[in-house]
Amino acid sequence: MATAEVSSNIKKLQVKRFKPAEDPKNTYLTDEKGLWAWLTTVDHKKIGLMYLGAVAFFFLLGGLLALALRTELWTPAKTFIEADTYNQIFTLHGAIMVFFVLVPSIPAALGNFILPMQVGAKDVAFPRLNLASFYIYVIGAIFTFIALFNNGLDTGWTFYTPYSTTTTTSVIWVTLGVFILGFSSILTGTNFITTIHKLRAPGITWSKLPLNIWALYATSIIQVLATPVLAITVLLLTMERFMGLGIFDPANGGDPVLFQHFFWFYSHPAVYIMIVPGFGIISEVITTFSKKHIFGYWAIALSSLAIAFIGFLVWGHHMFTSGQSAVATTVFSFLTFLVGIPTGIKILNWVATLYKGSIEMKTPMLYVFIFLFLFSIGGFTGIMLGSLSADIHLHDTYYVVAHFHYVMMGGTLMALLAGLHYWWPKMTGKMYSEVWGKISAVLVFIGFNLTFLPQFVMGAQGMPRRYYNYIDQFTPFHQTSTIGSYVLGLGLFITLFYLLHSLWRGKKAGSNPWNSRGLEWQATSPPDFHNFDHTPVVIHGPYDYHKPMEEFQLGLAVSHNGHGEETDVKESKVTTN
Ligand code: HEM
Ligand SMILES: [Cu+2]
C-alpha cells in the first residue's frame, strides 16, 4: 500500500494503487438494459450518448438540407426546387445546425459523458436535472419539427423583424421550440458549473483541472448568462405575432434594430458556446498525441474565460450596416479585434505544445491538424469582417457564409470529430478502423475546402448570401462548391458507417489505448456504472507525461462515505510497493 504524504493542512490519505481492468465484466452498458432503463436513466454517460444520438440525427437532417441547397445552386436559374422552398430549406438548415447541433454537440453530448470522469466524480451534481435537460431538448425539437410539416419557416435562422412578424410561415412553432431549448442549455450549464466546483476528486486543484474542464466551465458561464436573453427575445417575438404588440414591427411603433441588438447579444456569445468546448478537446488530444505537457497551461485556461468575457462586448459587429451610430460601429469594430488576442494565444500555445513533441498521427490528431488549419482561416477572416470598412462591402455576401462555416464546421465540427474519435474507445470499449478514419478525414478536409474556399472569392466579388439565382460569372465557383459538398458528405457518411461498424466488429480498446495521463483513462473502457470503483486520488496534473503511469492510478484505500471531501491534497510524495 502506498501513502500520499500531503504537505497541506489535512491528514495523511491512505492511498492504494488501482489498475483498471482491461476487460471489465460490469460496465455502464451492461448494468441496466432495455429501452425503458435508457429513457429513464440518470447516468450522465447514457444521457450523453442519447444527446449524441439526437445530435447525429439532426446533423444528418441538416446535412441533407444543405445538399439540397447546394444541388439547387448548380445552375444560375432554377435547378430543381422553387424559390420559396429554397428559402425554407436554408432557414431550417441554419436553425437546425446552430440550435440543435452545434450548441448542444460538445457540451451536452461529449461533455456530459466526459466531464464527471475528468473530475473523478460519480455523476454530475444534479443527475435528474440532467435527464430533464435532455427531455427539454427533445420537446424543443418536437416544436421545431411541427413547423417543418406545418408551412415551414422562411425567415433565415436569425428571425429578423419585421419580416418574421409578417411572414405567413410557422415562426411561432420555431421560436417556441428555441425558447424551450434554451432552458436545456441553461440547466446543463448550471449543472456543469456546480459539478466542477463541488465534485472534484481529492487532489484535483484548479491548477490540475484538465483544460477541457476549463473550457466547459467558461462555456457554461456563457450559457447561463446569455441564453436568457435569447429566451426573452424569441418570447417577445412570439407575443408580437400572437397579440400584435408593437415591440419590433415599425408598423406598430416597434423598432426592428432593437430585435437585432437582442438577437446578437445572445448569438455572438453563442458562437463561443459552440467553439470554446472545441478548444477544450483540442488541448486534450494535442497533449495525448504529442506525449508532452501542454505549453502555457494557464494561458490556455484563462484565455477561455477571456473569450467568454470579451464575447459579450462585440455583438454590434453584426450590425455595422444596420444604421448604428458611427461611434458605436467604431467601438464595436475595435472590441472585435480584441477577440483575436485570446484566440491567438491558444493557437500559439498549441503549436508550441507540438514543438519537439513525439507526435503520433492517429485519426483524432489528424482532426486536430485539420482544425488548426481551418479554424485559423475562419478566425482571420473574422478579424477582416470585424474591420468596419471592409465589412460594409463584405456584409451579407458569401464571404460571411464562408467565414462562419470555417469557424463552425472547420472549428467546432472538426473538434467534435477529434473528440468523438478520441473518446470513442472509452465510450464504447471498441476501436474503430484507423485506416477508414484517416481516409474519411482526408475526404472531409478536401471536401470542406472545395465547398467553402470558392465562397470567399465569390463573396468578395459581390455574390450575396441567401440568393436563389445568380449571375453567370459565378457558375464555376458555385459548381466547385457543390461538388465539394458531395465529397464532404461522403467523408462524413463513411465516418458514420465505420463508427457503427466498430460496435459489432471493433477490437477491444482496453482502458487506455492512447497511453494518456488524463483521469478518464484510468477508468475501464467502457466505464463502470459509477465511473470508478473507488474514489480516485490525483497527485499529478493531466499532462504530466514525465511521471510514471503508476502514479496516476491511485485511489483512496479507505472509503470515505461522501465523495471527496478532502479535496485539498496539494502536493504529495508517493511511495508504491
Ligand atoms: C476571431 C474570432 C471571430 C471574429 C473576429 C468574428 C467576426 C465576425 C464578424 C465581424 C461577423 C459579421 C460579418 C457580417 O455579417 O458582415 C461574423 C459573422 C459570423 N460569425 Fe464570426 N467571428 C469570429 C469567430 C467566430 C466563431 C468561433 C464562430 C462560430 C463558431 C463564428 C460564427 C459566425 C456566424 C454564424 C456569423 C454570421 C451570422 C449571420 O449573419 O448569419 N464566428 N463574425
Ligand atoms: Cu459575432
Side-chain angles (χ1 to χ4, degrees):
M1 189 175 293
T3 22
E5 285 176 25
V6 278
S7 61
S8 63
N9 44 358
I10 53 156
K11 50 245 159 209
K12 270 191 186 174
L13 291 179
Q14 286 252 298
V15 173
K16 204 174 106 184
R17 184 170 174 201
F18 287 89
K19 211 165 169 253
E22 291 309 308
D23 194 7
K25 295 285 162 304
N26 288 324
T27 72
Y28 78 103
L29 291 173
T30 56
D31 196 77
E32 24 165 44
K33 281 188 175 156
L35 187 64
W36 187 244
W38 272 82
L39 293 179
T40 57
T41 184
V42 289
D43 178 10
H44 67 97
K45 298 183 285 303
K46 285 189 176 145
I47 295 174
L49 288 189
M50 293 199 291
Y51 268 115
L52 190 63
V55 164
F57 169 78
F58 279 111
F59 185 61
L60 193 67
L61 184 66
L64 290 175
L65 293 172
L67 290 180
L69 296 173
R70 285 303 338 155
T71 309
E72 171 53 43
L73 292 170
W74 183 256
T75 62
K78 177 182 169 182
T79 308
F80 81 114
I81 48 180
E82 297 300 330
D84 282 344
T85 320
Y86 180 84
N87 291 347
Q88 299 204 356
I89 294 181
F90 79 64
T91 300
L92 283 166
H93 162 72
I96 287 175
M97 287 303 201
V98 169
F99 298 115
F100 293 91
V101 178
L102 291 176
V103 168
S105 62
I106 300 183
L110 287 185
N112 242 323
F113 197 103
I114 235 63
L115 179 137
M117 301 193 66
Q118 284 194 323
V119 299
K122 289 182 177 153
D123 207 311
V124 289
F126 310 112
R128 287 193 188 84
L129 193 65
N130 200 17
L131 183 66
S133 309
F134 175 71
Y135 283 110
I136 294 171
Y137 170 90
V138 172
I139 294 169
I142 291 172
F143 271 68
T144 308
F145 248 84
I146 292 175
L148 192 66
F149 297 107
N150 182 24
N151 224 4
L153 180 72
D154 65 353
T155 61
W157 74 282
T158 47
F159 312 116
Y160 268 20
T161 53
Y163 184 67
S164 58
T165 49
T166 50
T167 170
T168 54
T169 54
S170 282
V171 177
I172 291 181
W173 284 112
V174 181
T175 49
L176 282 179
V178 169
F179 178 77
I180 295 168
L181 194 71
F183 284 91
S184 165
S185 192
I186 295 170
L187 295 176
T188 303
T190 317
N191 221 336
F192 283 5
I193 292 176
T194 319
T195 310
I196 295 169
H197 273 275
K198 288 292 175 197
L199 297 186
R200 302 194 312 275
I204 307 189
T205 54
W206 288 93
S207 62
K208 292 201 179 91
L209 217 49
L211 288 165
N212 186 46
I213 300 294
W214 276 107
L216 287 172
Y217 186 66
T219 309
S220 301
I221 294 174
I222 315 178
Q223 281 176 301
V224 171
L225 294 182
T227 317
V229 180
L230 176 73
I232 294 165
T233 312
V234 291
L235 199 62
L236 286 175
L237 179 57
T238 311
M239 283 163 60
E240 174 145 345
R241 274 190 74 99
F242 242 155
M243 310 181 216
L245 300 182
I247 303 164
F248 303 126
D249 186 350
N252 296 326
D255 180 358
V257 178
L258 180 67
F259 178 85
Q260 297 186 20
H261 276 292
F262 276 178
F263 183 83
W264 290 113
F265 188 83
Y266 164 77
S267 291
H268 185 83
V271 307
Y272 297 109
I273 297 179
M274 301 177 220
I275 195 70
V276 173
F279 292 158
I281 293 178
I282 300 304
S283 298
E284 300 298 319
V285 176
I286 223 166
T287 44
T288 294
F289 293 100
S290 312
K291 293 287 173 295
K292 243 187 88 188
H293 197 285
I294 191 89
F295 188 91
Y297 174 87
W298 281 110
I300 296 184
L302 296 181
S303 60
S304 291
L305 292 175
I307 289 174
F309 177 71
I310 302 172
F312 277 99
L313 308 178
V314 302
W315 78 92
H317 65 212
H318 295 276
M319 302 164 61
F320 286 154
T321 62
S322 306
Q324 282 178 131
S325 75
V327 177
T329 43
T330 314
V331 171
F332 277 124
S333 178
F334 172 74
L335 290 171
T336 298
F337 294 153
L338 295 186
V339 180
I341 299 173
T343 317
I345 288 178
K346 280 185 191 294
I347 304 271
L348 183 98
N349 284 292
W350 288 326
V351 174
T353 303
L354 290 170
Y355 180 66
K356 289 195 173 171
S358 127
I359 295 172
E360 225 183 327
M361 221 28 162
K362 290 280 166 57
T363 306
M365 191 62 158
L366 199 53
Y367 275 112
V368 166
F369 278 89
I370 296 178
F371 170 96
L372 289 176
F373 185 81
L374 300 181
F375 177 75
S376 298
I377 296 179
F380 277 130
T381 52
I383 299 287
M384 285 152 86
L385 288 170
S387 44
L388 191 47
S389 47
D391 189 67
I392 307 281
H393 173 67
L394 295 171
H395 175 66
D396 261 347
T397 67
Y398 261 77
Y399 192 92
V400 176
V401 178
H403 155 68
F404 69 68
H405 282 92
Y406 266 83
V407 276
M408 303 211 288
M409 195 163 189
T412 307
L413 198 80
M414 295 308 131
L416 175 73
L417 285 169
L420 189 64
H421 286 85
Y422 180 57
W423 285 307
W424 186 261
K426 183 54 60 188
M427 298 193 285
T428 64
K430 297 291 174 59
M431 290 308 282
Y432 48 82
S433 154
E434 187 60 37
V435 176
W436 281 108
K438 289 209 175 93
I439 292 176
S440 56
V442 169
L443 281 175
V444 165
F445 179 73
I446 295 173
F448 181 90
N449 286 298
L450 271 182
T451 310
F452 296 108
L453 212 54
Q455 299 187 358
F456 280 125
V457 184
M458 271 195 278
Q461 293 181 356
M463 170 76 213
R465 68 191 279 200
R466 296 179 173 166
Y467 270 35
Y468 171 73
N469 287 340
Y470 53 86
I471 51 175
D472 289 342
Q473 88 184 62
F474 293 122
T475 310
F477 296 110
H478 273 298
Q479 293 191 341
T480 312
S481 186
T482 302
I483 293 169
S485 68
Y486 281 102
V487 177
L488 182 55
L490 177 69
L492 292 169
F493 193 74
I494 296 175
T495 307
L496 180 71
F497 188 77
Y498 69 75
L499 285 180
L500 291 179
H501 181 260
S502 77
L503 295 179
W504 283 275
R505 290 292 168 85
K507 277 197 287 230
K508 284 226 182 323
S511 65
N512 193 354
W514 317 125
N515 225 343
S516 171
R517 294 295 192 269
L519 184 56
E520 74 273 27
W521 299 102
Q522 296 306 334
T524 55
S525 308
D528 188 65
F529 182 68
H530 282 309
N531 300 339
F532 302 91
D533 56 4
H534 55 277
T535 303
V537 172
V538 169
I539 56 168
H540 301 309
Y543 313 113
D544 284 342
Y545 281 91
H546 53 290
K547 297 280 167 50
M549 190 62 95
E550 304 87 82
E551 298 181 8
F552 292 79
Q553 300 179 327
L554 303 173
L556 285 191
V558 273
S559 104
H560 290 259
N561 40 353
H563 13 237
E565 306 101 84
E566 309 186 49
T567 41
D568 30 357
V569 189
K570 290 246 167 49
E571 252 178 71
S572 42
K573 225 172 60 203
V574 169
T575 41
T576 15
N577 49 30

